[in-house]
Amino acid sequence: KLEEGTTVADIGCGFGTSTVALALRFPKSQFYAYESSPKALQAIEENIKAANVSNVTVCNVEQRTLGDGPDLNDPSSRFGFVYAHDVLHDMLNPKELIKDVKKRLASDGCWFIVDIDCSEKVEENLRLPNAPMLYAFSCLLCLSMATSESHGEGLGTCGFPPKLAEMWMRKAGFQYFEQRKIPALPYNACYLVA
């Protein structure tokens, strides 16, 4: 699909490094880079200009969300592929994003989620070789972001575990959920959702 040309949403794309790399690799696809950080938004624009790509649209989520779809003039427009790398557990309201993806994902599209490989059980997470680092980041960065407002979900304590991820996806109406291991991402869980 990416080679033939489709619409792609990169959620929480940071400085847009992966977005730009994908845009260069798949020039027939149109990419939408969603981000909230003003610093990151500026960096994305600079990276797009430096790479001389024309198939990336930067979306400041304060003005344009994934729920608006790829074409603001067509309320039925859909994404063929959605990508979210290490971002859902940081969000105030990940359930709202899940609903938006469900609403805007094409019937033959898929959502690829990369998150921290973790368990629902703290005692299992504490056995991980990188547990001190995970919990340090989780407590000082992820959790503080995910609870920065009173309605925050607070998933930030060590990622988005597979049982919870599958439950939320199915509750939102997704029919397919598969966890995959990717050798290049040994500390991550990867979920394929459709």
Side-chain angles (χ1 to χ4, degrees):
K1 270 189 160 184
L2 290 167
E3 288 179 350
E4 295 166 7
T6 191
T7 51
V8 179
D10 188 354
I11 303 167
C13 64
F15 286 8
T17 307
S18 61
T19 315
V20 170
L22 288 166
L24 287 167
R25 172 65 180 85
F26 302 105
K28 292 182 182 176
S29 288
Q30 181 63 42
F31 294 82
Y32 295 82
Y34 290 90
E35 182 54 57
S36 62
S37 162
K39 227 177 202 176
L41 289 163
Q42 181 181 347
I44 296 166
E45 296 287 0
E46 292 167 4
N47 289 337
I48 290 169
K49 188 176 179 181
N52 196 28
V53 292
S54 59
N55 57 334
V56 177
T57 301
V58 177
C59 304
N60 179 340
V61 297
E62 297 296 321
Q63 301 159 359
R64 180 178 181 175
T65 70
L66 187 127
D68 296 325
D71 184 345
L72 295 175
N73 297 314
D74 180 2
S76 67
S77 64
R78 300 284 182 265
F79 291 101
F81 183 70
V82 178
Y83 178 67
H85 191 122
D86 203 15
V87 69
L88 265 77
H89 70 270
D90 292 333
M91 299 183 77
L92 283 170
N93 193 347
K95 289 178 184 174
E96 195 64 37
L97 173 71
I98 292 167
K99 286 179 193 172
D100 284 348
V101 173
K102 176 62 179 149
K103 173 183 165 187
R104 288 300 182 171
L105 188 65
S107 60
D108 63 346
C110 69
W111 183 10
F112 191 69
I113 302 166
V114 178
D115 214 298
I116 306 301
D117 190 9
C118 65
S119 168
E120 292 82 8
K121 298 178 181 177
V122 173
E123 58 273 14
E124 289 179 13
N125 289 334
L126 291 175
R127 291 188 205 113
L128 296 171
N130 58 342
M133 181 188 73
L134 286 176
Y135 276 99
F137 274 112
S138 291
C139 292
L140 297 174
L141 178 65
C142 308
L143 188 59
S144 61
M145 289 171 55
T147 58
S148 62
E149 294 181 23
S150 61
H151 65 281
E153 192 70 47
L155 281 180
T157 50
C158 209
F160 191 32
K163 287 180 186 173
L164 181 65
E166 182 172 9
M167 182 179 73
W168 283 9
M169 297 303 160
R170 296 210 184 271
K171 202 171 197 176
F174 288 101
Q175 301 298 308
Y176 184 83
F177 181 93
E178 179 184 345
Q179 183 175 358
R180 295 194 172 181
K181 278 306 278 179
I182 296 179
L185 301 169
Y187 297 112
N188 291 102
C190 300
Y191 309 130
L192 187 60
V193 181

